[in-house]
Amino acid sequence: MVRASGLARPVGDAARMAAMVAGSNLIVTARDAAGRLVGAARSFTDFAYGCYLSDLCVDPAAQGRGIGRALIAETKRIIGPGCMLLLLSAPDPMTWYPKLGMEPVANGFIIRRDG
């Protein structure tokens, strides 16, 4: 589902993907009526002040049904009103997030991974 969604993650590296999941402390998923995984939101949070939503992906066959919106809303519900939610977007969905009431931010810095 991650690969199909277009999210650039190292899906060919099972050990790295397992470490990414194991190191997360909040994962919200969406399933269809048959129980098939159609969406996921993976985050790191202290549940008090800040939450980084690292991965948000929805199966292309299920896009346009509000699944991404619901995953973000459920993540925010779980972390609570006093906790900020930060998401860094890939270029393509940059116009989608403001439609959800998310505010763009310009203040930030990054050290990119080496591999």
Side-chain angles (χ1 to χ4, degrees):
M1 194 261 320
V2 173
R3 183 176 287 134
S5 76
L7 188 64
R9 294 297 180 264
V11 294
D13 185 343
R16 191 169 187 185
M17 290 295 292
M20 289 165 59
V21 170
S24 303
N25 66 345
L26 177 59
I27 298 176
V28 177
T29 61
R31 297 183 179 275
D32 65 13
R36 188 176 70 88
L37 183 67
V38 294
R42 184 176 71 89
S43 303
F44 309 89
T45 183
D46 56 20
F47 296 98
Y49 191 76
C51 174
Y52 171 52
L53 199 168
S54 177
D55 297 334
L56 177 67
C57 56
V58 176
D59 186 311
Q63 289 178 0
R65 299 182 193 164
I67 294 169
R69 179 184 303 265
L71 289 166
I72 292 170
E74 181 63 4
T75 299
K76 182 60 181 149
R77 185 195 70 74
I78 292 168
I79 63 175
C83 195
M84 169 275 304
L85 188 146
L86 173 68
L87 178 146
L88 301 178
S89 179
D92 288 344
M94 285 292 289
T95 58
W96 183 71
Y97 293 109
K99 295 175 186 175
L100 304 180
M102 296 184 83
E103 173 187 349
V105 295
N107 59 328
F109 301 91
I110 186 170
I111 297 174
R112 300 217 181 258
R113 70 187 69 78
D114 294 332

